[in-house]
């Protein structure tokens, strides 16, 4: 699959449930900014037909190379970043299901058991959404109360969790705080967990994000409004050797994950 068509399909799916991102991108373009993506992030289940190991070959086929692994023990996740020259980075995380309670594991296993074998055989998997029957809303709430990530994944499935605007490509809004203020003036909320700006120039990466849109999603017993997807902003700094910091920072990413928390405000 051609890379630009892959990203077009991802963006098309993403803005359907995160209309804020399309609106913010349009505002930035009105300002004369060039909107380039730093990275796109996905969430999935471990030990499943769509786990990280099964999806990785799809990224390699698109010309990506693994960059680095990350661990989020308190969120029961692990992740791997991928890079490709001239393309947005990809951040792929998976839920370590065995670390959750027996009750949560039972609910998650029902989702995993419904995933068609071979589902991970095409790059289109990255915008297929839910590959299992809709859950009752009470099950979603039970899962989310134990792991916001698990609740989100069961409700929304395989799709971009967020796109990230590269501030390195910007002319006017050149800091994370500047773009967060711009976004707020446009009427969108900002994720303040762990501070509005995560990371630092010294670390090499500064990030911020909106709070996820809230959109009506189908559950087994009707539609309910839940947090969906958000827009992130990243500024990379030069590190020793003069190159831009290439990877991710777990402390920052951990708080960025919270952009989809039900209680986030
Ligand atoms: Ni991100």
């Amino acid at each position: 699959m051609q890379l630009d068509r892959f990203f077009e399909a991802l963006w098309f799916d993403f803005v359907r449930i995160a209309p804020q991102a399309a609106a913010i991108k349009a505002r930035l373009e009105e300002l004369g900014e060039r909107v380039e993506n730093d990275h796109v992030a996905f969430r999935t289940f471990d030990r499943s037909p769509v786990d990280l190991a099964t999806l990785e070959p799809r990224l390699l086929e698109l010309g990506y190379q693994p960059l680095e692994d990350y661990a989020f023990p308190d969120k029961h996740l692990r992740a791997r970043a991928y890079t490709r020259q001239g393309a947005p980075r990809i951040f792929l995380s998976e839920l370590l299901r065995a670390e959750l309670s027996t009750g949560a594991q039972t609910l998650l296993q029902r989702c995993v058991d419904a995933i068609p074998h071979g589902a991970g055989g095409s790059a289109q998997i990255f915008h297929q959404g839910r590959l299992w029957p809709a859950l009752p809303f009470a099950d979603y709430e039970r899962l989310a109360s134990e792991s916001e990530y698990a609740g989100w994944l069961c409700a929304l499935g395989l799709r971009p969790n967020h796109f990230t605007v590269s501030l390195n490509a910007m002319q006017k809004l050149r800091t994370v705080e500047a773009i967060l203020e711009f976004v707020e003036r446009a009427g969108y909320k900002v994720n303040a967990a762990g501070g509005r700006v995560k990371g630092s120039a010294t670390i090499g990466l500064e990030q911020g994000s909106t709070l996820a849109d809230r959109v009506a999603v189908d559950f087994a017993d009707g539609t309910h409004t839940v947090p969906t997807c958000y827009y992130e902003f990243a500024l990379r700094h030069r590190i020793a050797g003069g190159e831009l910091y290439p990877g991710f920072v777990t402390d920052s990413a951990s708080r960025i994950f919270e952009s989809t928390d039900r209680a986030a405000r």
Side-chain angles (χ1 to χ4, degrees):
M1 187 192 283
Q2 219 185 326
L3 202 61
D4 49 0
R5 285 181 55 200
F6 175 66
F7 280 100
E8 268 171 35
L10 295 178
W11 178 258
F12 182 79
D13 173 74
F14 173 65
V15 294
R16 270 195 311 125
I17 58 167
Q20 59 165 258
I24 292 167
K25 179 171 184 276
R27 295 251 190 164
L28 290 170
E29 287 169 346
E30 278 167 28
L31 198 65
E33 295 286 21
R34 190 159 48 102
V35 179
E36 284 186 11
N37 293 311
D38 179 272
H39 66 272
V40 182
F42 301 91
R43 299 176 171 186
T44 194
F45 296 116
D46 74 346
R47 296 180 295 115
S48 76
V50 292
D51 59 18
L52 206 154
T54 309
L55 295 181
E56 180 169 280
R58 305 293 80 76
L59 298 179
L60 303 185
E61 286 158 13
L62 288 168
Y64 278 88
Q65 301 276 337
L67 174 73
E68 203 174 8
D69 288 353
Y70 307 94
F72 301 91
D74 59 324
K75 289 195 164 57
H76 312 295
L77 308 173
R78 71 172 155 225
R80 180 170 287 179
Y82 299 86
T83 58
R84 181 192 192 278
Q85 191 71 36
R89 295 163 184 78
I90 288 180
F91 185 87
L92 185 52
S93 63
E94 68 178 4
L95 179 64
L96 304 173
R97 293 187 287 130
E99 295 183 8
L100 300 187
S101 70
T102 311
Q105 286 187 51
T106 303
L107 295 175
L108 296 170
Q109 191 64 48
R110 269 184 226 153
C111 297
V112 167
D113 286 344
I115 301 172
H117 285 275
S122 153
Q124 290 181 19
I125 188 64
F126 289 103
H127 50 88
Q128 291 305 297
R130 197 162 36 73
L131 300 159
W132 43 88
L135 280 74
F137 187 66
D139 286 351
Y140 159 81
E141 288 203 298
R142 189 171 151 205
L143 278 171
S145 66
E146 188 171 330
S147 157
E148 291 282 347
Y149 182 111
W152 186 97
L153 179 56
C154 287
L156 293 162
L158 272 281
R159 58 183 359 137
N161 171 264
H162 60 273
F163 271 71
T164 303
V165 175
S166 167
L167 296 185
N168 295 81
M170 297 280 205
Q171 296 298 318
K172 295 179 181 133
L173 299 171
R174 297 183 58 90
T175 66
V176 174
E177 185 51 39
I179 199 160
L180 293 180
E181 285 171 17
F182 176 82
V183 159
E184 282 180 321
R185 281 198 301 276
Y188 302 98
K189 288 185 180 156
V190 160
N191 173 357
R196 290 159 62 90
V197 179
K198 285 90 170 150
S200 67
T202 314
I203 290 173
L205 177 62
E206 292 179 277
Q207 294 164 271
S209 71
T210 64
L211 287 183
D213 259 313
R214 286 168 186 262
V215 168
V217 168
D218 288 337
F219 288 88
D221 44 358
T223 62
H224 294 266
T225 299
V226 298
T228 55
C229 300
Y230 58 94
Y231 217 9
E232 189 189 316
F233 313 99
L235 178 61
R236 293 182 183 272
H237 296 274
R238 302 210 174 273
I239 50 170
E243 288 179 24
L244 290 178
Y245 182 83
F248 293 86
V249 176
T250 48
D251 285 351
S252 303
S254 184
R255 305 318 295 266
I256 295 270
F257 275 120
E258 296 172 19
S259 303
T260 62
D261 284 10
R262 292 161 305 150
R265 63 188 70 238

